[in-house]
């Protein structure tokens, strides 16, 4: 059985819930990613922000016009998040994405319950396309 740990992105970039959106926007482009886990001051995952959240919620100009430059990640992130242990099957993760219309799941270590990675719909598609081992 193929597990999500075999396909996930390990040690993903994270952002803080109180970071300004304008600080986060360049991360998507610079790292060529679409989902970033959001952590609180203790480092616990509390949400997920996606490039689509930013694009769909507001354009940068609307963000500046309506909210000013100090909009925080916590104001547009997705909550609650989906998370699975690393031994969950890739099929189960893919079904959860389809059923819940989501594109990213936090992957946690079973022993520590700490985030060890994320699996995204892109990871699943790259695996199916033969682009990921």
């Amino acid at each position: 059985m193929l597990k999500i740990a075999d396909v996930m992105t390990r040690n993903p970039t994270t952002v803080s819930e109180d970071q300004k959106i304008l600080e986060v926007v360049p991360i998507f482009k610079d790292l060529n990613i679409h989902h970033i886990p959001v952590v609180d001051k203790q480092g616990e995952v509390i949400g997920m922000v996606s490039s689509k959240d930013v694009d769909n919620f507001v354009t940068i100009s609307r963000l500046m016009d309506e909210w000013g430059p100090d909009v925080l990640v916590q104001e547009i992130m997705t909550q609650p998040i989906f998370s699975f242990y690393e031994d969950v099957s890739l099929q189960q993760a893919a079904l959860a994405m389809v059923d819940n219309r989501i594109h990213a799941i936090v992957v946690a270590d079973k022993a520590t319950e700490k985030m060890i990675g994320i699996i995204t719909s892109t990871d699943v598609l790259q695996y199916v396309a033969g682009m990921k081992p």
Side-chain angles (χ1 to χ4, degrees), residues 2 6 12 15 23 34-35 38 42 53-54 61 64 74-77 82-84 91 95 102 112 115-116 118 124:
L2 186 64
D6 300 324
V15 294
E23 297 170 355
H34 301 285
H35 300 87
V38 180
Q42 292 75 37
D53 289 333
V54 175
S61 61
M64 295 296 290
Q74 65 188 354
E75 295 179 68
I76 69 164
M77 71 182 180
F82 280 78
S83 65
F84 284 134
Q91 180 180 13
L95 287 171
I102 59 171
T112 64
M115 178 180 65
I116 58 169
I118 65 171
V124 175

Side-chain angles (χ1 to χ4, degrees), residues 59-108:
T59 63
I60 294 300
S61 61
R62 182 174 165 206
L63 185 70
M64 295 296 290
D65 289 345
E66 292 183 21
W67 294 84
D70 297 326
V71 175
L72 304 179
V73 169
Q74 65 188 354
E75 295 179 68
I76 69 164
M77 71 182 180
T78 301
Q79 265 186 316
I81 59 164
F82 280 78
S83 65
F84 284 134
Y85 292 123
E86 60 191 309
D87 61 352
V88 166
S89 73
L90 184 61
Q91 180 180 13
Q92 185 177 350
L95 287 171
M97 287 181 194
V98 170
D99 289 346
N100 296 286
R101 305 181 106 193
I102 59 171
H103 296 278
I105 297 173
V106 171
V107 182

Side-chain angles (χ1 to χ4, degrees), residues 4-5 7-16 19 27-28 31-39 43-49 81-84 103-109 114-120 123 132:
I4 58 178
V7 180
M8 72 181 183
T9 300
R10 292 193 177 271
N11 303 312
T13 297
T14 62
V15 294
S16 169
Q19 266 184 270
I27 296 171
F28 291 113
L31 299 179
N32 194 28
I33 58 177
H34 301 285
H35 300 87
I36 305 173
V38 180
V39 296
E44 298 297 319
V45 180
I46 59 165
M48 183 81 66
V49 66
I81 59 164
F82 280 78
S83 65
F84 284 134
H103 296 278
I105 297 173
V106 171
V107 182
D109 177 89
K114 298 288 183 190
M115 178 180 65
I116 58 169
I118 65 171
I119 184 150
T120 68
D123 293 324
K132 261 194 169 183

